[in-house]
Amino acid sequence: MPRYVYSFDEADWKNKKLLGGKGSSLAMMTQLGLPVPPGFTITTEACKEFYKCGEGEITKIISQLEKQPPPEIRDKLIEKLWNIIDSLELPKGLMDEVVEHIHRLEKKRGRLFGDPDNPLLVSVRSGAAVSMPGMMDTILNLGLNDESVEGLAKQTGNRRFAYDAYRRLLQLFGKVVLNIDDKVFDEAMDEIKEKYDVKSDVEIPEEGMVELVERFKEIIEEEAGGFPQDPWEQLRMAIKAVFRSWMNPRAIFYRIANKITPDIADCTAVNVQSMVFGNMGEDSGTGVVFSRNVATGDNELYGEFLPNAQGEDVVAGIRTPMPVSELKSRFPELYNMLYEKVKLLEKINKEVQDVEFTVEKGTLFFLQTRNAKMTPLARVKTAVDMAKEGVINREEAVLKVQPEHVLQLLYPRIDKSSGAKPIAKGLNASPGAVSGQVVFHPDTAVAWAKEGKDVILVRVETKPDDVHGFYAAKGILTSRGGMTSHAAVVARGIGKPAVVGAEMIKIDYDKKLFSVNGEVVKEGEWITIDGNTGEVYLGKVPTIQPEVIPELRELLSWADEFRRLGVKANADVPEDARIAREYGAEGIGLLRIERMFRKPERLEVLRKVILSETTEDREAAMYKLSELVKDDFKEMLDVMDGLPVTIRLIDPPLHEFLPKPEELLKEIYEMEREGAPKEAIEEKQRLYKRVVALTEANPMMGHRGVRVGVTYPEIYKGLVKAMLEATAELIKEGKNPVLQIMVPQVAIVDELRFVKENAIYPIAKEVEEKYGVKIPFMVGTMIETVRSALTADEIAREAEFFSFGTNDLTQGTYSFSRDDVENKFLPQYLELGILRFNPFETIDKKGVGELVKIAVEKGRKANPQLEVGICGEHGGDPESIHFFHKVGLDYVSASPFRILIARLAAAHAALKEKYS
């Protein structure tokens, strides 16, 4: 028979998958000699065995829930799921092991489980292999009943404390084990507070606590047939309930949202631990402490302590706690011990630690440690600092910071020059400034977000059941709670801006509004929250982009040492190039010239080029246009002096630069109606006929890219002339321009050969003779058609470089028009699971990726000197970057604001390959 139970002092704490994160941490701390209440862990293998009988049906329901059905369907699926789980039984032999380990606990603690005079009480807590804060369930004070509560009172000399412990058990057992709505317990608590005229639970007198216990027992009797007085039955039911919590809706949603697949965490363990009590008076309490400041990254103990409170009170955000630094004056020796042990845990785990602790009558106990969830600022700063301190090495520091952390670090801040005044201020729990429409319920947040609305979820305090609303919302605002409350921890974990504990805000759920300082904000009205400062504003407030912090620059300089892939930028205008260079781009991998033509005087000349009916007219107009855009090319090459600039020849269908036929018809109608001169009307009619003649049925697969260069070489000649003259002028000025000319949409090698022989090299010769300088430049092509990928060996003999245009290559591979697909059926494909991801955001490795591999292999075989990169949007996607590293590309090119992300992702790809 398999073994399911291990005590903290014997378990292999390195086996996190078996023991879960919490069980692993408790075993580690116990074996290190930290003061940990003794206990044992029921492994994840027991949980998997528990679910084995209902596995098939459960899997089907989970797959339906993954599609995020409407609330009414979701609720029916959850009811069906829980009916299946309720029918399951604990694994054979498990309770025998549990009983044996409870008896061991009795000997260690000198108390007896179920004894009316000297009761042993335990907590029953969940713990998966990865941290899922607040997503699963906990029961405290288990083992109490109507008899042992009096025994506990005598044992401690504190009857109020004993009944406070009992009422907590009744509420948690009712909610977690018996599925009673927490609201009915809260209402009963509020009635008692009102009766005794107190504001918080700690002020309720002894007789009020006794009365509250009786009321809670009545609720359980009415809702579930009564509270089990047998402690062993309580324990059996609690273990089953914690197993069941692995499949509660919030846990399922959290795993889906965070991509926690079965190979990462496949079930929860259960930790049974003897109780210590933080609610025994003002010399007791409960707290959460971080080994460093999780908001700023500063090397200081950071956290909160709540006197006369128990476990869940701090993270629930029900009362606002005091800073942990106040322990220094209350319990200086205890604080010093806390500091020493927390820093030890950080050193061993090589990570900032999030530690739960309890103080019972001045004695410190550790209840859990886990890797902390931090703001992006803290994540970067702590990684750099810990590397400099020798806690970790530079490679480990780089791997600790994820690309999404860098993205979040660039979240906007409030523009103070806007003059906006905050209406409230809370704690800056998670960074970023966002605007959204106020909603008060997580289901509303989900529904509105699906309609494309930006929402801010506003709650008194959040609970784990609200997690689906977190993911739907742009930001979170609460009126209660501290920096370690549920709202703060989850928001930091998922990168959502959050302001918590804004106590001046008064929320009315029934009326769907909140009020603050005379202002009333109703559901649907706009507010702005700034998670950087904790401030709340009415309406939409302008934001600005933050500066790159020194620690990030330093970390990325380390990343640059480890990466193999080069990182370039996609750009439209010189300002893009300046930003890209500032962010560390090693060149321009794609300069799209089309935006240069949008200035009115240039657009007019380009239209003459397009509408010309003779080569001579086109050449004349193109000469003028060449002079207009030359300075733009020169500025771009100058900004990137010494680094390659890849300029793409004109790519879009020519009709995109012309007026729409229906607009011209409307203008002709207006001219005729207003009596415009006949000659003017006839000119407009000629334009209309020419535009109609140029209109294509499928323009994205029609007369565009290289096909324009073949049919109208004078257009490409003019553009090449401007590029080469700009380069020549910079050379004569003593600069070092590095020009690469890229021909788009090549599908046949002879297209590239034709353009080189007729539009590029002849012009190069003319410009070199004109300026008297030798102009070094390269000619290459975009691989963005399926045929070019399949015949890459032929094309590589004519090209000096390839750059994959993965946007068009994806369209061609799928026969998808991106604009139509994303607006019509792609969301439904993702919802139904037909597509697992948007192929325009992350490279499709099986289809488009296979074409990339074929082209790289064939191209390099034909031309070993071939430079190969990618300039589609996938160049800034971390997952795609890992693929491009693996298939041997030389560089990726991304939008300027994704350069930092690409540098880090490229380093991750190299380091993971190194250690795989």
Side-chain angles (χ1 to χ4, degrees):
M1 187 176 290
R3 183 177 178 183
Y4 292 127
V5 183
Y6 294 86
S7 60
F8 299 159
D9 54 12
E10 65 175 342
D12 176 8
W13 59 267
K14 292 178 181 176
N15 193 345
K16 196 175 279 190
K17 192 151 189 191
L18 181 69
L19 301 174
K22 194 170 293 171
S24 168
S25 79
L26 289 165
M28 177 186 65
M29 291 190 294
T30 298
Q31 292 166 38
L32 286 171
L34 274 66
V36 176
F40 55 87
T41 298
I42 302 169
T43 66
T44 55
E45 288 299 317
C47 180
K48 287 192 282 185
E49 188 64 29
F50 171 75
Y51 279 110
K52 196 170 274 185
C53 289
E55 203 168 17
E57 278 299 308
I58 290 170
T59 302
K60 285 180 191 174
I61 295 171
I62 297 297
S63 66
Q64 290 175 282
L65 288 171
E66 283 176 348
K67 296 166 187 172
Q68 297 183 38
E72 60 275 10
I73 296 174
R74 179 196 67 201
D75 292 345
K76 286 179 182 176
L77 286 170
I78 290 165
E79 184 181 357
K80 184 179 178 183
L81 175 66
W82 281 44
N83 285 337
I84 294 168
I85 295 171
D86 282 340
S87 69
L88 302 177
E89 294 298 331
L90 292 177
K92 189 177 179 182
L94 173 60
M95 284 307 294
D96 294 336
E97 286 190 67
V98 168
V99 169
E100 180 189 336
H101 278 77
I102 287 287
H103 290 328
R104 289 188 197 177
L105 271 186
E106 290 174 332
K107 288 177 183 175
K108 286 178 182 176
R109 297 290 283 169
R111 297 171 185 168
L112 297 175
F113 191 63
D115 188 83
D117 299 316
N118 184 28
L120 170 70
L121 305 184
V122 297
S123 63
V124 181
R125 306 169 82 192
S126 60
V130 294
S131 177
M132 295 171 55
M135 295 303 110
M136 292 180 291
D137 292 324
T138 292
I139 298 121
L140 303 178
N141 309 326
L142 193 137
L144 277 173
N145 58 23
D146 291 350
E147 289 184 333
S148 59
V149 68
E150 292 295 345
L152 183 64
K154 287 175 188 172
Q155 190 184 78
T156 60
N158 188 337
R159 194 163 184 263
R160 186 203 175 279
F161 152 73
Y163 274 87
D164 183 32
Y166 196 15
R167 68 93 185 169
R168 290 170 185 271
L169 168 62
L170 291 167
Q171 182 165 3
L172 283 169
F173 198 92
K175 175 192 171 188
V176 172
V177 181
L178 303 174
N179 296 321
I180 300 171
D181 191 342
D182 210 19
K183 188 178 177 184
V184 293
F185 293 108
D186 291 340
E187 287 169 352
M189 170 72 83
D190 290 340
E191 288 169 10
I192 292 291
K193 286 182 192 172
E194 189 176 344
K195 177 177 178 179
Y196 288 92
D197 193 25
V198 297
K199 290 184 178 178
S200 69
D201 56 348
V202 294
E203 298 172 286
I204 298 172
E206 178 187 313
E207 61 270 27
M209 278 298 172
V210 174
E211 194 176 331
L212 191 59
V213 163
E214 290 306 314
R215 180 68 192 107
F216 279 7
K217 282 160 60 183
E218 288 171 10
I219 289 169
I220 293 173
E221 185 70 41
E222 292 162 7
E223 299 283 339
F227 175 71
Q229 291 292 309
D230 178 2
W232 293 103
E233 180 61 12
Q234 292 175 21
L235 183 56
R236 186 194 68 78
M237 293 174 72
I239 292 168
K240 185 174 176 180
V242 172
F243 281 160
R244 183 179 62 193
S245 72
W246 176 253
M247 288 295 179
N248 72 40
R250 62 181 185 267
I252 292 168
F253 186 87
Y254 188 90
R255 291 197 295 276
I256 293 167
N258 288 277
K259 299 181 174 65
I260 300 173
T261 52
D263 61 304
I264 299 170
D266 51 7
C267 226
T268 183
V270 179
N271 299 286
V272 180
Q273 189 174 21
S274 55
M275 285 295 303
V276 288
F277 300 100
N279 57 330
M280 293 188 75
E282 290 303 309
D283 62 348
S284 304
T286 186
V288 176
V289 65
F290 300 93
S291 57
R292 297 181 191 233
N293 189 313
V294 292
T296 65
D298 291 341
N299 191 0
E300 61 185 7
L301 277 199
Y302 175 81
E304 294 168 329
F305 179 73
L306 196 56
N308 198 14
Q310 211 172 4
E312 301 301 300
D313 293 349
V314 174
V315 292
I318 294 165
R319 286 158 53 200
T320 301
M322 63 178 63
V324 76
S325 55
E326 286 200 23
L327 277 178
K328 233 177 188 175
S329 55
R330 285 184 174 231
F331 309 107
E333 287 184 20
L334 185 149
Y335 179 85
N336 291 337
M337 182 182 180
L338 181 67
Y339 183 90
E340 177 194 336
K341 300 304 183 186
V342 165
K343 282 298 181 183
L344 173 65
L345 292 170
E346 177 184 88
K347 188 174 181 180
I348 289 169
N349 289 289
K350 294 188 172 186
E351 182 59 282
V352 178
Q353 291 299 287
D354 170 356
V355 179
E356 290 180 24
F357 66 95
T358 285
V359 178
E360 180 182 285
K361 289 191 170 294
T363 301
L364 174 66
F365 294 93
F366 288 87
L367 303 182
Q368 177 178 344
T369 188
R370 60 189 173 192
N371 293 343
K373 297 192 182 297
M374 294 175 269
T375 66
L377 171 65
R379 175 76 279 172
V380 172
K381 188 175 184 338
T382 56
V384 172
D385 288 350
M386 289 169 76
K388 288 180 174 179
E389 292 162 19
V391 178
I392 57 177
N393 61 39
R394 288 184 174 187
E395 288 184 347
E396 289 170 323
V398 167
L399 287 169
K400 281 189 182 300
V401 178
Q402 297 303 310
E404 57 264 29
H405 295 141
V406 177
L407 183 63
Q408 291 159 18
L409 201 54
L410 299 175
Y411 277 178
R413 297 173 178 270
I414 294 294
D415 183 356
K416 294 296 183 182
S417 67
S418 68
K421 302 292 183 189
I423 57 167
K425 186 169 173 55
L427 299 172
N428 51 329
S430 186
V434 288
S435 300
Q437 294 174 271
V438 170
V439 296
F440 294 98
H441 196 281
D443 284 350
T444 312
V446 172
W448 286 24
K450 281 187 175 179
E451 294 171 10
K453 295 178 180 178
D454 292 340
V455 299
I456 304 287
L457 179 61
V458 180
R459 305 285 284 166
V460 174
E461 74 249 4
T462 65
K463 296 183 178 180
D465 290 333
D466 298 338
V467 69
H468 57 300
F470 274 57
Y471 283 92
K474 292 292 181 184
I476 297 97
L477 170 63
T478 73
S479 61
R480 289 188 201 160
M483 294 293 280
T484 57
S485 65
H486 173 264
V489 171
V490 175
R492 279 196 296 272
I494 64 175
K496 296 280 184 178
V499 174
V500 303
E503 294 180 345
M504 63 289 296
I505 289 175
K506 307 302 176 190
I507 298 170
D508 188 326
Y509 287 141
D510 293 331
K511 293 182 180 176
K512 294 185 180 179
L513 58 81
F514 73 78
S515 58
V516 54
N517 299 326
E519 296 281 357
V520 175
V521 179
K522 298 176 182 175
E523 186 162 83
E525 293 182 346
W526 285 80
I527 62 169
T528 299
I529 64 169
D530 188 353
N532 305 298
T533 63
E535 292 171 329
V536 182
Y537 299 82
L538 284 177
K540 296 182 185 179
V541 178
T543 58
I544 54 173
Q545 204 70 26
E547 296 291 319
V548 177
I549 61 170
E551 289 85 357
L552 180 58
R553 290 188 187 280
E554 187 165 12
L555 183 93
L556 289 174
S557 73
W558 300 345
D560 292 340
E561 295 171 16
F562 306 137
R563 65 182 166 88
R564 180 189 61 75
L565 277 173
V567 177
K568 300 182 183 182
N570 299 338
D572 293 320
V573 292
E575 183 57 30
D576 291 342
R578 289 189 187 92
I579 294 168
R581 187 146 197 172
E582 168 70 15
Y583 284 176
E586 296 159 326
I588 299 298
L590 171 62
L591 171 56
R592 295 170 289 239
I593 65 175
E594 290 76 29
R595 192 167 164 185
M596 296 178 181
F597 303 137
R598 295 301 179 186
K599 291 180 180 177
E601 69 277 13
R602 297 179 183 185
L603 186 58
E604 184 181 343
V605 177
L606 178 60
R607 284 177 173 175
K608 283 183 180 176
V609 171
I610 296 168
L611 295 170
S612 295
E613 297 188 20
T614 68
T615 301
E616 293 74 22
D617 287 347
R618 257 191 306 279
E619 284 178 340
M622 199 63 222
Y623 177 84
K624 187 175 180 182
L625 185 63
S626 175
E627 291 299 310
L628 288 172
V629 298
K630 180 173 74 175
D631 285 346
D632 284 11
F633 291 145
K634 187 174 178 179
E635 186 178 0
M636 185 71 76
L637 288 159
D638 192 22
V639 169
M640 302 305 291
D641 189 52
L643 297 175
V645 176
T646 305
I647 305 178
R648 183 180 68 185
L649 290 163
I650 198 164
D651 179 48
L654 295 179
H655 80 276
E656 285 193 9
F657 300 101
L658 299 175
K660 289 183 170 54
E662 57 271 23
E663 290 174 0
L664 289 171
L665 274 178
K666 187 178 178 182
E667 287 179 29
I668 292 167
Y669 171 77
E670 292 291 339
M671 291 170 76
E672 288 175 341
R673 196 182 64 153
E674 293 172 7
K678 184 180 177 184
E679 298 80 13
I681 294 173
E682 287 175 350
E683 178 64 28
K684 190 69 74 174
Q685 287 172 333
R686 278 194 293 274
L687 175 60
Y688 170 72
K689 288 176 183 175
R690 184 71 177 140
V691 168
V692 169
L694 288 169
T695 300
E696 297 176 282
N698 193 346
M700 295 310 290
M701 299 181 78
H703 195 204
R704 61 175 292 208
V706 69
R707 297 151 217 161
V708 171
V710 171
T711 54
Y712 301 137
E714 54 273 18
I715 293 179
Y716 271 20
K717 283 180 182 179
L719 293 171
V720 169
K721 175 176 175 289
M723 295 174 201
L724 291 170
E725 287 192 351
T727 306
E729 289 176 12
L730 287 169
I731 292 171
K732 288 181 78 69
E733 292 170 16
K735 302 289 179 63
N736 182 26
V738 183
L739 174 66
Q740 297 184 333
I741 299 172
M742 185 157 66
V743 183
Q745 290 294 318
V746 167
I748 308 162
V749 65
D750 287 329
E751 292 174 315
L752 178 59
R753 188 180 295 121
F754 179 92
V755 167
K756 284 169 61 180
E757 292 173 359
N758 291 276
I760 297 178
Y761 290 142
I763 297 299
K765 187 178 178 183
E766 288 177 18
V767 174
E768 286 177 342
E769 288 174 357
K770 177 180 175 181
Y771 284 87
V773 296
K774 183 69 180 171
I775 305 172
F777 67 95
M778 293 170 66
V779 178
T781 183
M782 291 184 82
I783 301 295
E784 53 188 334
T785 66
V786 174
R787 193 179 191 280
S788 66
L790 296 174
T791 61
D793 50 346
E794 294 179 359
I795 295 171
R797 295 187 187 100
E798 290 291 332
E800 293 171 273
F801 66 88
F802 282 174
S803 183
F804 287 96
T806 50
N807 301 337
D808 274 7
L809 191 57
T810 300
Q811 290 193 108
T813 304
Y814 277 93
S815 290
F816 281 175
S817 162
R818 179 173 185 176
D819 291 342
D820 293 328
V821 165
E822 291 189 329
N823 289 326
K824 297 279 170 49
F825 62 83
L826 185 58
Q828 193 174 357
Y829 267 43
L830 292 169
E831 194 174 299
L832 293 170
I834 293 171
L835 283 172
R836 299 292 176 190
F837 54 86
N838 183 338
F840 294 105
E841 293 175 356
T842 298
I843 195 79
D844 161 35
K845 295 173 190 172
K846 289 183 180 177
V848 179
E850 194 61 27
L851 289 171
V852 171
K853 283 173 67 178
I854 290 168
V856 171
E857 289 165 9
K858 284 191 167 190
R860 287 248 170 85
K861 191 172 181 181
N863 178 1
Q865 304 305 312
L866 186 72
E867 181 185 75
V868 185
I870 178 263
C871 61
E873 284 181 36
H874 298 99
D877 172 61
E879 190 174 333
S880 303
I881 288 170
H882 280 251
F883 172 78
F884 296 134
H885 171 91
K886 190 175 178 182
V887 297
L889 266 61
D890 295 306
Y891 70 86
V892 296
S893 188
S895 65
F897 287 105
R898 295 193 76 86
I899 294 298
L900 301 175
I901 294 164
R903 288 168 65 192
L904 182 63
H908 280 198
L911 289 171
K912 286 177 181 177
E913 181 183 63
K914 178 179 176 181
Y915 292 110
S916 61

